Amino acid sequence: MDGNGRWAASRGLPRTAGHVAGVANVSRVVEAAPDLGIGVLTLFAFSADNWRRPQAEVQSLMELLAEYLERETPRSVANGIRLQAIGRRDRLDPGLRAAITRAEAVTAAGTRLWLRLAVDYSGRDAILAAARGLMELSRETLGTALGPPVDLLIRTGGERRLSDFLLWECAYAELVFSRRMWPDFDAADLAGAVREFRGRERRFGAVPQKLARATAAWLD
Ligand code: IPE
Ligand code: MG
């Protein structure tokens, strides 16, 4: 979710107004996701490096997150959405931490969409934390400890970098970059990204299906 600040600046508004618009857009995108065949949606809400931002901006992002949980938890239960936060929790305000725990508990049975919010998240730290908690370290155990592999990564706001997001899980992710600022990234943009994803041939290091079949026929 990138581009809130620039969205606001282009309208002569303070950055926080961009974050307010960004949060409003989360609900729109979340509502559109299940019908597009999306079962797991992870939103990068606050990175472990975002603490470097001015304190007032950090504070307002945290408040917006708490408000979002307050407002969306009951709606998530009604809509079959399972909420989960990934990232560190020890640096969050105790009130926000409690709101996250509560939201996770009451939405746990949701099966329509698994919505993960990355908060105080770093992909590198997540890998380290997961590895430290394992008795036996392998691709399988670490992969399971981290979470599902990413099929499609969408980056909004015109940037073309990973910014420490789901590094292990993105090993074979298809990348889609959108110039849209996050508050303007709507259901049609999401549908477009999914369409682009579906049009891509994923080979996971193997050869294209057609070529594999031709080779097999030739060997027969
Ligand atoms: C929102 O967009 C991302 C968050 C971490 C909340 P930005 O705040 O990064 O917006 P830009 O990049 O300055 O436009
Ligand atoms: Mg940004």
Side-chain angles (χ1 to χ4, degrees), residues 19-30 181-187:
H19 295 315
V20 171
V23 174
N25 194 45
V26 169
S27 309
R28 287 195 284 270
V29 168
V30 165
M181 300 298 135
W182 171 255
D184 289 332
F185 186 88
D186 60 15

Side-chain angles (χ1 to χ4, degrees), residues 80-82 104-112:
I81 295 169
R82 172 186 169 198
E104 289 177 335
V106 302
T107 64
T111 55
R112 231 176 111 245

Side-chain angles (χ1 to χ4, degrees), residues 2-3 6 53:
D2 199 11
R6 281 164 287 164
R53 294 188 176 200

